[in-house]
Amino acid sequence: MGARDLVINGKFASAGFNGVHRVAARLSRDLHATTPASTGISLFTPNASAIRHDVGSIDIREVRGWFGHGQGWEMMTLPRAARNSVLLNLCNLAPVLHPRSVVMIHDAQTYLFPQDYSGRQAAGYRALLPIIGSRAAKVITVSEYSKARLVEHRIAAADKIDVIHNGSDHILDEPADPSVLAKHALEQGGYVLVIGTTKRYKNISTVFRALEDTGLRLVVAGGPGNAQSYLELGIKPPESTLFTGFVSDAELRSLYSHAGVFCLPSLTEGFGLPAVEAMQCGCPVIASNAGAMPEICGDAAILVSAENSGEWREAIKAVLGEPARADDLRKAGYDRAAAFQWERAAQQLWSSLEPLL
């Protein structure tokens, strides 16, 4: 590998499925299509036989060393293997020993809501991120809101951070699977949709309270597949709540497309990808006026106070009870989502990387 080469930290490629890994896989794939032929681009991984994410036709190279497949590989083996190249890290962490490292830090949640992470994880991130940010040649993040938080917590200086919004068109990659509706006896426009999670900052309890005694059907997609996980945290779902458990992208697309309204009640988001996914699928959106949601949703969603369940109840009833308003939100959502394309994100990422090569 040489000075004009770009190496992607591919530790994520054999890891589980979550939002950060999805972003890393999609950006890797589209960046490869964007990068000029004169630049060599490879994805280094500790285990090429265990790749789980679609990274397209990018060159995959297995790199082994004394430090196994985990954090030791990322911090010790990887920087040595990529020492003559620019190293792109898309999942918050990066080896501090690499002199030409670029790191995407999605948010500052371990600073804002450390209680939502294991003590070891929160402490590790809070210790490492300022070192990684100061050592990196460039830091990428996903919103102006996240950039401000990274600066506020002294993770990186403002002039070192580039903002590149996520894409959302991945939700259209697979045809919608309507069988999920029949499976759960759901009707077009007959339910309110949220994404399942027990993290406190995701604030699902506010939607639970908003729908108490309304008789409205609430569908919790993904996350824990039953009420017990929420009850153990002192969060009581409404009686009419349906928990789907894991759903595929095709099933989620169908749930978005047929919901009466999608709610994103988070106390903070670095980007708020589910809101834009819902917009891509023609679903009206209500979101908190917190974190990056105002920046990302713009005028294409109804924004309400994060913890005011009364405001949520009124907003939900307004969307479900006023077809013209719901149609206006759908149209505005389509237009807004069109601005968040992975091809565009990859082009912006290449613009950030090119001066370093």
Side-chain angles (χ1 to χ4, degrees):
M1 306 300 290
R4 279 290 296 174
D5 291 316
L6 175 66
V7 169
I8 297 175
N9 176 352
K11 181 170 172 281
F12 74 88
S14 56
F17 292 87
N18 62 32
V20 169
H21 295 159
R22 177 192 291 279
V23 170
R26 189 58 186 255
L27 277 177
S28 297
R29 195 171 90 192
D30 285 11
L31 182 64
H32 181 242
T34 298
T35 306
S38 58
T39 299
I41 178 169
S42 301
L43 185 143
F44 283 12
T45 174
N47 190 354
S49 64
I51 298 295
R52 303 176 65 187
H53 295 269
D54 179 9
V55 294
S57 59
I58 193 169
D59 176 41
I60 297 173
R61 301 192 186 185
E62 183 171 280
V63 175
R64 296 194 176 191
W66 293 103
F67 297 96
H69 294 173
Q71 201 67 47
W73 179 88
E74 187 169 36
M75 292 297 172
M76 303 300 294
T77 301
L78 177 62
R80 180 175 177 82
R83 61 188 178 275
N84 295 322
S85 307
V86 171
L87 177 62
L88 175 61
N89 309 271
L90 295 166
C91 299
N92 294 313
L93 297 179
V96 297
L97 298 178
H98 195 283
R100 299 166 68 208
S101 182
V102 176
V103 58
M104 174 174 270
I105 302 177
H106 293 250
D107 53 53
Q109 310 303 44
T110 52
Y111 288 81
L112 301 175
F113 291 89
Q115 65 271 28
D116 277 332
Y117 301 85
S118 69
R120 182 178 178 183
Q121 184 183 22
Y125 268 70
R126 289 165 73 112
L128 277 173
L129 286 181
I131 300 171
I132 290 170
S134 65
R135 293 277 296 173
K138 188 176 290 290
V139 173
I140 310 294
T141 196
V142 295
S143 66
E144 294 293 341
Y145 171 81
S146 278
K147 177 177 179 177
R149 300 292 77 75
L150 298 184
V151 173
E152 176 185 350
H153 293 285
R154 299 183 179 180
I155 295 170
D159 60 2
K160 185 187 277 192
I161 303 173
D162 287 350
V163 172
I164 299 174
H165 288 146
N166 288 328
S168 62
D169 45 318
H170 59 268
I171 196 65
L172 306 180
D173 285 351
E174 295 186 40
D177 180 0
S179 69
V180 69
L181 304 175
K183 177 181 178 181
H184 298 292
L186 297 173
E187 297 180 359
Q188 171 82 38
Y191 58 94
V192 178
L193 180 66
V194 294
I195 299 297
T197 177
T198 55
K199 286 191 173 181
R200 299 283 185 174
Y201 81 85
K202 295 291 189 177
N203 193 35
I204 196 171
S205 60
T206 293
V207 174
F208 286 175
R209 292 196 307 272
L211 294 182
E212 284 178 355
D213 303 320
T214 63
L216 294 173
R217 191 76 184 277
L218 175 64
V219 174
V220 180
N226 55 65
Q228 188 59 36
S229 297
Y230 298 96
L231 291 170
E232 289 173 358
L233 296 173
I235 303 171
K236 184 181 178 182
E239 293 295 329
S240 60
T241 304
L242 165 70
F243 299 91
T244 68
F246 172 80
V247 290
S248 67
D249 281 0
E251 291 172 324
L252 181 59
R253 179 177 178 182
S254 190
L255 289 171
Y256 279 139
S257 299
H258 292 87
V261 63
F262 173 75
C263 296
L264 186 64
S266 305
L267 301 174
T268 185
E269 288 283 350
F271 183 80
L273 186 57
V276 193
E277 289 178 336
M279 291 177 187
Q280 283 277 11
C281 298
C283 183
V285 172
I286 304 172
S288 299
N289 60 356
M293 272 85 81
E295 172 188 344
I296 301 305
C297 294
D299 295 329
I302 297 176
L303 301 177
V304 297
S305 300
E307 296 182 276
N308 189 323
S309 59
E311 284 190 26
W312 281 91
R313 184 181 300 111
E314 292 307 311
I316 291 167
K317 287 184 174 180
V319 174
L320 296 180
E322 301 176 26
R325 189 170 192 183
D327 286 342
D328 287 344
L329 285 170
R330 288 189 187 94
K331 293 173 184 175
Y334 279 131
D335 291 342
R336 187 68 177 172
F340 300 107
Q341 304 290 318
W342 285 115
E343 182 180 0
R344 179 181 178 184
Q347 291 169 349
Q348 291 174 326
L349 180 56
W350 171 246
S351 295
S352 291
L353 294 169
E354 189 175 21
L356 302 175
L357 291 164

